[in-house]
Amino acid sequence: MKDKITQLKDLITEMRYYGTAQGSLMWDLWTQMPSAGAAYRHNAIGFISGKSTELIQSDRTKELADYFMENDWRGHEDVIERGMIRNFLFTYDQTTKVPAELQVELTVLQAKAQNIWKEALQASDYEMFKPTLTEMFELQKKVADAIDPHEHPLQVLSATMEEGIDIHQIERLFAEMKTPIVNLLKRIQNSDKQITDELLNGEYAKEDLIDFVAYLSEAIGLSKENSAFGEVQHPFCSCMGPRDARIGMNYDNYKMAVWAGIHESGHALYSIHCNDQVADYGLWGGIGGSVHESQARFYENIIGRSRAFWQHFYPEVQKRFPKFQNVSLDEYYKAVNAVSPSLIRVSADELTYSLHPIIRFEVEKAMFDGKVTLDELPDLWNAKYQEYLGLTPPNAQKGVLQDVHWSMGLFGYFHSYTLGNLYDGQFHHALLKDVPDVYEHIEQGNFSSLNNWLTKNIHQYSAAYSPDELIQKVTGEELQVKYYIDYLEKKYQSLYQL
Amino acid sequence: MKDKITQLKDLITEMRYYGTAQGSLMWDLWTQMPSAGAAYRHNAIGFISGKSTELIQSDRTKELADYFMENDWRGHEDVIERGMIRNFLFTYDQTTKVPAELQVELTVLQAKAQNIWKEALQASDYEMFKPTLTEMFELQKKVADAIDPHEHPLQVLSATMEEGIDIHQIERLFAEMKTPIVNLLKRIQNSDKQITDELLNGEYAKEDLIDFVAYLSEAIGLSKENSAFGEVQHPFCSCMGPRDARIGMNYDNYKMAVWAGIHESGHALYSIHCNDQVADYGLWGGIGGSVHESQARFYENIIGRSRAFWQHFYPEVQKRFPKFQNVSLDEYYKAVNAVSPSLIRVSADELTYSLHPIIRFEVEKAMFDGKVTLDELPDLWNAKYQEYLGLTPPNAQKGVLQDVHWSMGLFGYFHSYTLGNLYDGQFHHALLKDVPDVYEHIEQGNFSSLNNWLTKNIHQYSAAYSPDELIQKVTGEELQVKYYIDYLEKKYQSLYQL
């Protein structure tokens, strides 16, 4: 088996090189490419993607896959090597079922659709995006059908992005968490306390936000040695190598910039804190889907909206933004955690956030169930927002067009944000058991006990464990709703004196 | 032949996609990559380069090359298709003689050597760079030997970068131009007129230089739609697609920023002004070597140091940089054209510039002739600077380490800068015959008659003609020394009232 493992390591290294080339072409496309270069660039990306698919569909890959499917690797001693094989078979299984031509078609369409989506978003014109969205939706159905024609297409697509995901389990978890969140929201709305985030609004010089986000991300563990920032519409983090994270940012306003900055830094830390063996075996970049989102949202919310965090950083805020000089830490902390249902997922408060991906999950389910047409999509979207959050989007920009995901062909991904919150509640519970004084360290601006715990338990392994294995390993049980709800209850009871 | 031409077009398109992926990985490496990502990135670049080499060494490529070598394509009617075939056979001939392993070794070493060179330059420490330079020099000798063991290695390497180049012709041209330049320099140094560029020195805010270079480059024809800027040590221009030029800039001082900005914009305009058929046939990017340098230096010097150019732009200079408010256009124009022998090629004045590449050509010739060892290199370098320019470098940073080229494996390239000047003299002569009032248009800030002439005669064809064909086509004769010397004589006679 040793020989085969070495062969597999070489193969995966090559696949990752293609991924890095694609990553570089995409990062550049998104952050700085001259517009006249776009058409050619899309074709170049399609070509490299095709080469990568050719490799995974080659005889060389098939022989290795066949070998490991026929030999018991699950008993193999080395955790990372075992993880590499598991991860490879997962990817192989998903990818080889999609014909190479379909994969190329998808990559070319992704690049095109993202540009059209950007224009449609700017124009707030759903009709402008609809033909391309239709194309993408049809193509994704074809992809699902090619992988498994007998399974629900949303299940198939979700499972390509996250190992072991089960849309029936998601339905169950979402049903279990929806009620307590809606109840908590009602109690907050009926409470005497009126907390708004108004004092965070207003004009900020973009340069100041750029500098502050760079300062925060460095304080929590990033540096120019392992990460770089660019500007995009919708913030994201992508990894171009084991020690090379790229963060696309939007500095339009304070809330967006600061918490997207912390969120994407969370993604980045997860990626670059893998151990050397993981890096060497091409397992870097973390587990896609819920676990990755959990690491981003852990930093963004559980840490980045905690009192301890701002106890340390608030003097710096006041220094950099004089408007806060007469605002107390307590007022600022409350504004940061104000609950106020809104239309835009990425600027939602921590409590109501989870409802946004739940809506999208239900919308996607309806799309793939054939219960809603692409023509009716905005109406369904708007109706659900009215039902869950009590708000109706005034236009497509603030409604169905707001997220980049569908233009990238990501159907079956949104739920991972809310699942990420569930992981976070459970990880947070485990963290406090292991490091009870972690918030005291954070108050001192010392992030090493937190980062050490995350690295030791989660980050260092990157994609070596499956999500199910990881949550079991770190917390001793499978994914639960209760820890996250407990965390929310405790936080908002104190904040709103419920 | 039609079928074969279509097959060739497809093949070249694929090769260019690999080139674009490599270009993106390199541009990113140079302009923004986190340092911890470098080692992995070098390997990724080596991998993509290896794939590209595999393609050019494939049976599919060989069959096409054999077909065109056996069939008379030179009589083929379509200029661009003919150019595609010619260009393909030129590249094929050079590349297939280098074993794939050597090519990968070279690409990996290039990436590594550039980083070490940067550190050595910073530390002004030749010994720090010497082992890597030795490695590169030995590797390049191996490359030359693999291509043609019977020819002089500098001839072989030069010919890989420029079709039809002949180092004996270069020796002849350089000998012919050296004496009049040195004589003109002596007459200037003995003249009553004392002109210095001192008033251009001093501190400039980097942001102001960035803005001004962006303004100038846009005024002469670039835009955000077709180009993007980044920051590097040594300015360069690279093309990532037919309509996508990238300019790496250094904003350390006014002279460097402004004329490097114009120079690199000249490269960029050459690339993006190819016609659609050229773009489609993968012939975009221009002819490498002397002709590309000629297009950069034409804009940098013949246009960018002309009185007409500054007659138009000087009010903008005065507006942006208040220190010039009490400086007349005449004083500024003189400072821009002051002759003053210096140690640094990239900041040399227009007249003495040509001597720098001549020195490097002679140094490289001596290296490949075995007349100088790598240990003795700085001494030879310093001696030649004393002999030609009357100056001895005080350290390696201002001497033998100053240029990035050798770290990229570019031996046999420097002479193209001086040859570019010769092309420029001849193109300038032809331009004035066709558009006698071009300088009046430039005075008005109208660059279209100039750009139209360049596009019509040179840019639109990109790499469709060989350098020899192009100069014949545009000027009706082969490359001459006299036009450039005439241009210099006329310019400096007037400036220094000789």
Side-chain angles (χ1 to χ4, degrees), chain B residues 346-415:
Chain B
V346 292
S347 55
D349 62 72
E350 187 178 358
L351 176 66
T352 59
Y353 182 92
S354 294
L355 300 172
H356 293 258
I358 291 175
I359 289 175
R360 284 154 180 77
F361 174 73
E362 292 174 356
V363 166
E364 289 181 350
K365 185 97 191 328
M367 286 167 77
F368 285 100
D369 285 342
K371 289 188 179 152
V372 64
T373 68
L374 276 283
D375 287 329
E376 300 158 346
L377 201 64
D379 289 341
L380 177 66
W381 179 283
N382 294 352
K384 289 212 175 266
Y385 265 81
Q386 188 57 49
E387 185 190 341
Y388 285 73
L389 292 144
L391 301 163
T392 294
N395 56 44
Q397 195 182 51
K398 292 186 174 167
V400 69
L401 281 182
Q402 69 185 264
D403 281 303
V404 70
H405 301 59
W406 289 344
S407 76
M408 298 166 80
L410 294 176
F411 295 94
Y413 186 79
F414 278 111
H415 45 252

Side-chain angles (χ1 to χ4, degrees), chain B residues 36-79:
Chain B
Y40 174 82
R41 174 61 58 93
H42 296 153
N43 294 334
I45 291 169
F47 172 76
I48 296 291
S49 160
K51 287 289 143 192
S52 168
T53 307
E54 269 176 31
L55 180 57
I56 203 167
Q57 294 179 337
S58 67
D59 291 344
R60 173 182 164 202
T61 305
K62 187 175 183 312
E63 277 162 30
L64 282 167
D66 288 346
Y67 173 85
F68 287 109
M69 285 190 275
E70 284 155 20
N71 289 273
D72 179 30
W73 55 270
R74 290 188 186 269
H76 185 69
E77 207 175 337
D78 188 287
V79 169

Side-chain angles (χ1 to χ4, degrees), chain A residues 333-396:
Chain A
Y333 170 69
K334 280 179 180 157
V336 165
N337 287 289
V339 172
S340 168
S342 84
L343 292 166
I344 303 294
R345 179 180 62 86
V346 292
S347 55
D349 62 72
E350 186 178 357
L351 177 66
T352 59
Y353 182 91
S354 294
L355 300 172
H356 294 258
I358 290 176
I359 290 175
R360 284 157 179 78
F361 174 73
E362 292 174 355
V363 166
E364 288 181 351
K365 186 97 191 330
M367 284 168 77
F368 285 100
D369 285 341
K371 290 190 177 151
V372 64
T373 67
L374 276 282
D375 287 330
E376 300 159 347
L377 201 63
D379 289 341
L380 177 65
W381 179 283
N382 294 351
K384 289 211 174 268
Y385 265 80
Q386 188 57 49
E387 184 190 342
Y388 286 73
L389 291 144
L391 301 163
T392 294
N395 57 42

Side-chain angles (χ1 to χ4, degrees), chain B residues 225-238:
Chain B
E225 277 69 53
N226 54 35
S227 53
F229 287 75
E231 281 183 56
V232 294
Q233 175 66 30
H234 185 92
F236 70 90
C237 176
S238 100

